[in-house]
Amino acid sequence: MDRLNINRHWKRIVNTMNDGLILIGPDGTIVMVNAAFEQLTGYRAEEVVGKPCTTLKCDACEKALECGGGEWCSLFSRDHEDIKRCRCMIMKKDGGWLPAVKNASVLRDDDG
């Protein structure tokens, strides 16, 4: 499959995943979620896209925010490494907690 077709079908490809996927913009707003995220959390994409990622009250993120450090999220600091297999809890739409294993990476363009 060529690059053009992959780009055209990326949403469909991402929605075949069984793992919840969330894309966060550099300012902390939710840019997109996949179908598995919707099923796991009870949130429809329309309810969370454009909202701050803190809406999910991830306990690992809350602990990092309490420590400070200048960035709204430590993942976005220049020297921070990817997050691998971080056990955390996120709040579902119904107020219950969803145990999750979080992997997070910052995707940078050629300009950083």
Side-chain angles (χ1 to χ4, degrees):
M1 181 178 280
D2 64 30
R3 184 180 298 226
L4 179 63
N5 282 329
I6 290 172
N7 287 337
R8 188 177 326 140
H9 299 294
W10 72 270
K11 275 189 176 180
R12 186 174 303 153
I13 294 166
V14 166
N15 279 324
T16 65
M17 298 172 53
N18 290 323
D19 295 326
L21 177 71
I22 181 171
L23 181 62
I24 308 294
D27 63 352
T29 58
I30 298 171
V31 175
M32 66 81 54
V33 298
N34 70 350
F37 172 91
E38 291 178 313
Q39 184 179 13
L40 290 165
T41 65
Y43 284 109
R44 291 187 331 271
E46 304 82 43
E47 296 174 298
V48 292
V49 170
K51 299 243 170 102
C53 61
T54 54
T55 300
L56 300 174
K57 300 186 184 340
C58 173
D59 63 344
C61 294
E62 295 291 329
K63 288 176 193 169
L65 286 171
E66 288 173 8
C67 293
E71 299 285 335
W72 68 267
C73 178
S74 60
L75 184 64
F76 284 86
S77 61
R78 260 299 186 208
D79 56 346
H80 198 280
E81 294 183 14
D82 294 347
I83 295 172
K84 302 286 187 191
R85 296 181 299 278
C86 173
R87 293 191 181 278
C88 60
M89 302 287 279
I90 60 173
M91 185 171 284
K92 300 187 302 183
K93 181 179 178 178
D94 67 8
W97 291 97
L98 174 68
V101 177
K102 178 169 73 172
N103 293 302
S105 299
V106 173
L107 305 177
R108 299 189 192 278
D109 63 14
D110 293 338
D111 297 324

